[in-house]
Amino acid sequence: QKEVEQDPGPLSVPEGAIVSLNCTYSNSAFQYFMWYRQYSRKGPELLMYTYSSGNKEDGRFTAQVDKSSKYISLFIRDSQPSDSATYLCAMKAQGGSEKLVFGKGTKLTVNP
Amino acid sequence: NAGVTQTPKFQVLKTGQSMTLQCAQDMNHNSMYWYRQDPGMGLRLIYYSASEGTTDKGEVPNGYNVSRLNKREFSLRLESAAPSQTSVYFCASSRQGMNTGELFFGEGSRLTVL
């Protein structure tokens, strides 16, 4: 079993829809959870970061972490065509360098 | 502010040829990384350098070597390229000791090995 599992999609939704993206993981040492967004032919950029369990909200984006289930989610409200990108979850254990383990990424298309 | 700069952006090699991918960052970051990204495989860490003068293997180091030339520059070398090394390569950097998980990525180098 890979350390981080993410459904690659693709996922296609109409503009204004609520989008739910998810990852599961197996390593209980992971404490830091990130979502990166990657536009076509660009490098990934950090979208949201969460430490341990709980929710974090930033505008239309909400990140949730459930450590008991080893499950993380990213919700996008009122999705826009500009949200069309690949979303990668990433996680790391406590301490050390920023050595992240990435999911495979989910490709999202928001149709106008 | 350039951030992380990778060269070249595109390269086509024949099997057995060698080449070096260059990476430079201007954010005064201590840590630097090389990832490869393949369809269906996600981002996989090849090598990383936690600080100037140190390098360590990542998940897929075979067939690659790295050099941390100075604090700004981290190069990736393919000594004898193979078709399996056809991929998009990303260099990234981060501040050491930060637990935010924020890596700053370059725009990628697209390598094809024939």
Side-chain angles (χ1 to χ4, degrees), chain A residues 1-6 23-27 69-70 101:
Chain A
Q1 181 190 7
K2 233 177 129 42
E3 276 191 300
V4 179
E5 300 279 2
Q6 182 177 9
C23 289
T24 59
Y25 64 96
S26 57
N27 188 345
S69 302
K70 295 190 176 67
V101 179

Side-chain angles (χ1 to χ4, degrees), chain A residues 32 92-99, chain B residues 99:
Chain A
Y32 301 88
K92 72 181 287 287
Q94 179 83 26
S97 65
E98 306 297 310
K99 190 178 173 185
Chain B
N99 282 314

Side-chain angles (χ1 to χ4, degrees), chain A residues 56-69:
Chain A
K56 187 172 186 178
E57 190 172 318
D58 184 2
R60 296 184 294 109
F61 298 88
T62 300
Q64 288 186 351
V65 175
D66 181 350
K67 289 190 68 182
S68 63
S69 302

Side-chain angles (χ1 to χ4, degrees), chain B residues 72-87:
Chain B
R72 289 187 64 247
E73 298 173 289
F74 188 38
S75 63
L76 179 72
R77 182 161 178 83
L78 287 70
E79 291 290 352
S80 179
S84 61
Q85 294 177 306
T86 293
S87 188

Side-chain angles (χ1 to χ4, degrees), chain A residues 2 32-34 36 38 40-46 49 86 88 92-105, chain B residues 10 31 33 35 37 40-43 45 48 50 57-59 90 94-103 105-107 110:
Chain A
K2 233 177 129 42
Y32 301 88
F33 303 92
M34 285 69 67
Y36 278 78
Q38 184 177 20
S40 181
R41 297 196 166 269
K42 298 290 187 183
E45 56 181 354
L46 182 67
Y49 147 76
T86 296
L88 302 103
K92 72 181 287 287
Q94 179 83 26
S97 65
E98 306 297 310
K99 190 178 173 185
L100 306 183
V101 179
F102 283 86
K104 294 179 181 181
Chain B
F10 300 93
S31 302
Y33 312 80
Y35 284 87
Q37 188 173 39
M41 300 295 290
L43 277 166
L45 183 64
Y48 70 101
K57 294 178 181 179
E59 183 184 354
F90 287 99
S94 71
R95 282 182 278 181
Q96 191 177 34
M98 294 289 291
N99 282 314
T100 61
E102 185 164 21
L103 300 183
F105 285 86
E107 294 210 334
R110 286 160 177 77

Side-chain angles (χ1 to χ4, degrees), chain B residues 12-74:
Chain B
V12 178
L13 290 178
K14 294 181 180 178
T15 297
Q17 288 184 319
S18 62
M19 77 159 298
T20 300
L21 299 177
Q22 307 284 357
C23 175
Q25 52 91 8
D26 62 3
M27 295 172 283
N28 201 35
H29 286 164
N30 286 311
S31 302
M32 298 185 74
Y33 312 80
W34 277 106
Y35 284 87
R36 60 178 290 174
Q37 188 173 39
D38 303 290
M41 300 295 290
L43 277 166
R44 293 182 292 169
L45 183 64
I46 305 171
Y47 271 94
Y48 70 101
S49 172
S51 61
E52 187 178 355
T54 68
T55 60
D56 285 288
K57 294 178 181 179
E59 183 184 354
V60 289
N62 291 344
Y64 305 95
N65 285 303
V66 290
S67 295
R68 184 73 184 267
L69 304 169
N70 48 55
K71 190 172 185 179
R72 289 187 64 247
E73 298 173 289
F74 188 38

